[in-house]
Amino acid sequence: GSQLKRIVITSSCGAVSNHEDVGIVTEENWNEADIKLINEKGKAAPPLEKYRASKSLGEKGELSSLIDIYLER
């Protein structure tokens, strides 16, 4: 059998929250606001919002979506 007993996935709070969120966040939360901003502004979006959107999309398995959006604008 395998010696692997556990996998630990670390995250960033940017994946689930943006600067406007208030309160407790859970695994049900995603940072949709920054994803929307990136979709609207592309390369012109502020760097911190790009970072947070990348964390959220990456954890959702959609990082390629962000790269496509960034390259198109």
Side-chain angles (χ1 to χ4, degrees), residues 8-56:
V8 177
I9 300 173
T10 60
S11 182
S12 166
C13 63
V16 296
S17 179
N18 65 45
H19 66 281
E20 296 174 355
D21 289 336
V22 178
I24 298 172
V25 293
T26 70
E27 64 275 359
E28 299 297 318
N29 299 92
W30 290 106
N31 183 354
E32 299 294 339
D34 287 333
I35 294 170
K36 181 179 177 186
L37 182 75
I38 299 303
N39 280 321
E40 293 170 356
K41 294 191 174 188
K43 287 183 182 180
L48 184 56
E49 282 75 358
K50 290 177 186 176
Y51 169 80
R52 290 190 300 236
S54 75
K55 297 294 128 188
S56 190

